[in-house]
Amino acid sequence: MDTGVRARDTRKPADEAVGRGRAGAWLARRRWRMLLAGALLTVLAVPVALGAESRMTSSQFVAHTEAATVDRMLDEEFRAGDPHMVVLARAEGGVDAAGTRTAVRSLTTALRHRPGVTQVRSYWDSGHPRRLRSKDGRTGLLLVRLRGGDEDRAARAGEILPLVSDARWGPLRLSVTGEAAVQAALKEQMQHDLVRAELIALPGALVLLILAFGSVVAALLPLGVGVLTILGALSALSGLAAVVDVSVFSLNLVTAVGLGLAIDYSLFITTRFREQLAHGDSVPAAVATAVATAGRTVWFSALTVAFAFAAPLVFPSMRSLAYAGILVTLLAAVVATTVLPAVLALLGSRVTRLDPLRRWHRTRPLTAHEGGFWYRLARAVMRKPVPVALAVVALLTLLAAPFLHARFGLDDDRALPAGHAVHAAGERQRTEFAAAGSPPVTVVLKGFDPSASAPRKALADYARRVSALPAVRSVTTVGGTYAHGRLVDPAGRGADAPYRARAGTWLEVATTAGPYTRPGTRLVQRLRALPAPVAPLVGGAAAELVDTEDELLARMPWALAVIGVTTFALLFLFTGGLLIPIKAIVLNLLSLTATFGSLVYVFQEGHLRWLVGDFNPSGYIDVGMPILIFFVAFGLSMDYEVFLLSRIAEEYAVTGDNGLAVARGLQRTGRLITAAAALFAAVLIALATSGVSSLKTLGVGLALAVVLDATLVRALLVPALMRLLGRANWWSPAPLRRFAGRLSHGDRTHDAGGLSGGEADPRRH
């Protein structure tokens, strides 16, 4: 409970900060050297950063799974498997017309002579018209395989796309889809969308910064910090890409998070600097205090966010995104606490120049007096904390409910905009070809040689058992084609698919289930459990989804342990209370679950498409997206938590009054946090203008998480719960209290852990 007694407000921690601000004073004295060093590093970073994208992989996540191993074996050992590009050749005169066949032969020859093309098969030479001919008999498929790994194939596909994408070849109308074509198209679309997002985000952010800072000069500072941060992070990632695989998706993450954190950190440091000038401090003293107080908070925040990004390191497929998050977070803190103070020392009071809304800002100062809106809001919430807390929790639970029905899949051509030629070709293939909607599952029997009679019989028995499994249409291997437990075609498809090599043999399992459905994933699990002549390796789209989900679920406890332990430790060291870190983690989990439920409602079920920009609901959420959003949003939420707690702890150290500290802390940070959240949301909403559904999901998800956290959580739930916990917020056992006291905020005189009754003695002031 609160003491109800207001102690003398001596502002002791802020005064002591000047004495502790040796770093800020050093930066103020050497401001020109720091600025020249920053300019030199920027010039060196520009050419390296501009070449970063060319070194990155086109995949969203870098796969190291059994399904990826099967795909690699099929390509390298058997020269078989799913085609990397599928060309749809439509002829109005029909696929069997003489002119059509002549044009196809010419097209096939042209494709075979393209660099990197290893194989071209088609309806016209496969002997399988039902599989590669459309239902209306006017479109046939050409199946193209390419040399190299995922990135090489995507690059080759990008070179071939102009030839066959929405193009004419004699009487043929061509379109193209397939994995490599999709990856090439996604990479190109992401690059285009990233440039557009930046063109939208930067002017919008500048306008919001002018409204928040009340100065054009001050508003330009966060953008400068953001540019330096992004260039540095991209340069580092470019070097890292020469050693390990780095996803091109990291570019979007660096841009969004780098600009957002740069705005946050600059906002708080610049605001503290202006506060100290308003209190009569000299420019060097104001810089010293800003670095010692807000700068210290920035580093606690940056470490918390960086540890949140470090948690995905336990997932092999997400490590490149973790590298990007850690680099951009730490660089944002470095630039904000070195270059920015040097600029502030140079500008001095001129940082408030050029305010186009001077009259409006005079009536609404950045940090208002004790009776301001946020102070009154905190007091109103703390007068009725239980109803407020229950109402907010009920709302967040309602938003979270759709997540119970979440379905997961992986990006394919449907992640592209509806009008994109590759997407349109994929839709045509699914609707016009009977066997296209459910891609086959592949089973590799590594090292198994079916040339002798006994192994051949064992393979036949295994194929029969596989063909009898639910959702299996047929099984084809070196011995023929099986369906419903019996041999239906002794010849099989041996004419156009090599099912045997020195590496072993493989089976093609045609299914009636989509790859991202429960029957499809269940089939993969049954195949892996079914006794086989040798241990089977199962691949295909459904197997890739199963492997990805298994990896994420198996490693998730370790990731949660990393983020939970590090967050708890940092917040405890920052505040000295044991309950504050627990409360922060629980509230973050609640608001993030609400975000996930909203994403399912919008992107899986297709509601409110008009609000977030048109897209193509696929009926599932990309399996990696909730994980990525979780770690990014968790870190950003802790960013705001640290800034709010820093002021609450500072006020508490002065007054010893929990309720007064919460009200004053929210008053001094409420507008800043709201402004920072609005700016960050604006940057992320710009990312949501992307035509790629995964980028749109990321932008909307993170923007929603930030808005929920800055409004419902920080403005309502935090004051309500801190009022209910009262002095217990700051409790910790004596040994831990002494240890944390070396790092926690301000004077620990009022620590509840040292009081038997949990109340501070106001006479200590």
Side-chain angles (χ1 to χ4, degrees), residues 554-580:
R555 297 175 182 267
M556 181 58 75
W558 293 102
L560 293 176
V562 169
I563 199 171
V565 170
T566 55
T567 299
F568 179 88
L570 286 171
L571 287 184
F572 170 71
L573 292 175
F574 189 66
T575 64
L578 284 178
L579 293 182
I580 286 178

Side-chain angles (χ1 to χ4, degrees), residues 747-763:
D747 184 359
R748 300 305 311 281
T749 306
H750 304 289
D751 196 318
L755 301 170
S756 59
E759 299 290 335
D761 184 354
R763 292 173 296 179

Side-chain angles (χ1 to χ4, degrees), residues 119-130:
Q119 184 185 68
V120 180
R121 295 186 293 115
S122 72
Y123 157 77
W124 292 269
D125 59 17
S126 70
H128 294 282
R130 294 183 61 188

